[in-house]
Amino acid sequence: MNILYLFQFVFRCLTVAYAFFYLLKQKYKIMGSLILVLALSFLPELSDWFMGIVIDPFSIIIYLIVLYMALFLGSSLGYYDRYSWWDRTIHLLSGVGFFGFGAAIIKTNADSKKAVILLFNFSFSVTLHVIWEVLEYISDCLSHGNAQRWQKIHPSVNHVSERTLQPAGLVDTMNDTICCIVGAAASAAVWWFFI
């Protein structure tokens, strides 16, 4: 059994076990986020089955880690508020994972030059991140959440200095974007040697 299949199997079994645990504790919101994590864990396979886009195992593992960190640990268990570095770590890893998704898409055109492939992957990664930030904003607007740390009075911790000149939401979004760009750029540097 290869490492990716083993990782996916263990990941999904743990997700289902946690979902049952929170079902028994009648914590339906947490259980719902775990069901969403489980459903989204099948996206790489669905992209292969329906679109012929084969994502590399490393990027799939990073994707699953980001899903778990963002939706379950971050949102449901409050890690965003407990650890100031949590959000930045997720966005750094998403830059790496999204880069791999871009690589899988452009791999269908093997005649492309290395620089074009890396530029596409970098751009694709940053674009997916921008879409992510827009979805966070929409989610905040619809659910009165605080994923972008824009609310001044909210029980969450904004992790922004009292002396900052910019509002917390802007600082959070820019830090997330910069972390994604750093992750995508680091991936481009590594992939340069593998393409």
Side-chain angles (χ1 to χ4, degrees), residues 13-186:
C13 286
L14 285 174
T15 303
V16 169
Y18 273 127
F20 279 120
F21 173 76
Y22 284 107
L23 174 67
L24 294 174
K25 292 185 86 172
Q26 296 181 348
K27 295 194 175 189
Y28 302 115
K29 182 179 178 186
I30 296 174
M31 186 192 74
S33 73
L34 286 163
I35 291 170
L36 182 60
V37 167
L38 182 64
L40 291 173
S41 75
F42 289 97
L43 279 181
E45 284 122 326
L46 293 174
S47 73
D48 182 15
W49 293 337
F50 292 110
M51 295 180 278
I53 298 171
V54 181
I55 301 166
D56 68 280
F58 178 74
S59 295
I60 293 173
I61 289 171
I62 293 294
Y63 167 72
L64 294 175
I65 290 169
V66 167
L67 269 181
Y68 199 75
M69 287 178 70
L71 296 177
F72 175 56
L73 297 175
S75 294
S76 294
L77 297 185
Y79 280 34
Y80 284 120
D81 297 328
R82 284 189 210 161
Y83 307 107
S84 61
W85 50 267
W86 193 260
D87 192 38
R88 291 185 185 115
T89 302
I90 289 172
H91 286 282
L92 180 74
L93 290 173
S94 72
V96 174
F98 291 161
F99 189 91
F101 289 13
I105 289 171
I106 203 164
K107 213 184 279 185
T108 57
N109 184 4
D111 297 333
S112 298
K113 300 218 183 280
K114 183 189 287 192
V116 172
I117 293 170
L118 294 176
L119 179 62
F120 173 81
N121 296 349
F122 178 83
S123 300
F124 186 77
S125 176
V126 173
T127 300
L128 285 180
H129 172 76
V130 169
I131 292 169
W132 176 343
E133 289 296 325
V134 169
L135 292 174
E136 274 187 358
Y137 173 76
I138 291 169
S139 172
D140 282 351
C141 290
L142 294 176
S143 69
H144 303 290
N146 198 28
Q148 292 193 316
R149 305 296 185 248
W150 60 275
Q151 295 187 33
K152 291 183 180 182
I153 301 171
H154 194 274
S156 71
V157 179
N158 287 327
H159 305 296
V160 177
S161 168
E162 295 277 335
R163 300 178 318 199
T164 188
L165 298 174
Q166 302 295 336
L170 175 63
V171 172
D172 178 73
T173 299
M174 292 314 303
N175 282 332
D176 294 350
T177 303
I178 290 166
C179 287
C180 177
I181 289 170
V182 168

